[in-house]
Amino acid sequence: MATDFSGNWELERSDNFEDYLKALNIDFATRKIACHLHQTKVFIQDGDTITIKTLSTFRNYELTFTVGMEMDEHTKGLDNRVVKSLVTWQGDRLVCTQKGEKANRGWKHWIDDGKLYLELTCEDKVCIQVFKRKE
Ligand code: 1AG
């Protein structure tokens, strides 16, 4: 059975987020704001069709996809690029590759010990975010 990510999660810890943002060419001022944000993830999962909302007081980002179906993703309000995104299951992990201008770009989500993990990769930079369930 696929992992059930459903629910609300709040950011607890972020490692190397600024380097990831630099790799995406995010400017200094935006990076400083982004690094201090309280982020919330909302997962709505209906079989292999999943919506992930990333919410904050600064900006919100929403992505809906079906696992196994490539789509055009416009990272609106983030780095504002268009990438070809494909999300697949790798065991219990949800893995996305984002093909486009930036090499080696993508993310992975998994749950371990009740915590939600997000690994964000761009070029040689890897950021890990850890979220806890929101009551
Ligand atoms: C993502 O998660 C990333 C979602 O696709 C947002 C998290 C990090 C920001 C990524 C790029 C930053 C670009 C500009 C910074 C400006 C604002 C930051 C605002 C952060 C809150 C939206 C994978 C998956 C959902 O969970 O797509």
Side-chain angles (χ1 to χ4, degrees), residues 4-9 41-45 133-134:
D4 183 11
F5 292 97
S6 304
N8 299 344
W9 304 84
K41 291 278 183 197
V42 178
F43 270 77
I44 301 156
Q45 201 168 338
R133 273 206 189 272
K134 216 167 159 172

Side-chain angles (χ1 to χ4, degrees), residues 18-97:
E18 183 154 24
D19 278 349
Y20 170 78
L21 296 178
K22 271 189 205 166
L24 285 174
N25 312 112
I26 304 304
D27 68 82
F28 179 87
T30 308
R31 288 203 309 268
K32 293 301 150 194
I33 297 168
C35 286
H36 286 97
L37 284 179
H38 179 83
Q39 291 184 39
T40 301
K41 291 278 183 197
V42 178
F43 270 77
I44 301 156
Q45 201 168 338
D46 176 14
D48 271 349
T49 298
I50 299 173
T51 295
I52 307 176
K53 297 180 188 182
T54 307
L55 307 175
S56 77
T57 49
F58 179 51
R59 281 177 200 163
N60 298 321
Y61 185 67
E62 183 170 327
L63 183 69
T64 298
F65 55 88
T66 300
V67 177
M69 284 179 55
E70 191 178 64
M71 65 186 147
D72 288 319
E73 178 181 5
H74 178 202
T75 61
K76 197 172 185 293
L78 303 179
D79 61 315
N80 295 304
R81 288 187 174 90
V82 177
V83 292
K84 291 266 180 214
S85 297
L86 174 65
V87 183
T88 54
W89 287 109
Q90 286 183 16
D92 290 339
R93 294 184 181 208
L94 211 47
V95 177
C96 179
T97 54

Side-chain angles (χ1 to χ4, degrees), residues 116-129:
L116 171 72
Y117 286 78
L118 170 60
E119 184 188 275
L120 293 160
T121 304
C122 180
E123 297 173 334
D124 60 343
K125 303 296 184 256
V126 182
C127 161
I128 302 258
Q129 297 188 328

Side-chain angles (χ1 to χ4, degrees), residues 97-113:
T97 54
Q98 295 172 307
K99 272 190 281 174
E101 184 189 337
K102 291 288 172 183
N104 194 34
R105 180 172 183 178
W107 52 259
K108 296 178 185 183
H109 269 296
W110 68 94
I111 293 175
D112 187 26
D113 207 11

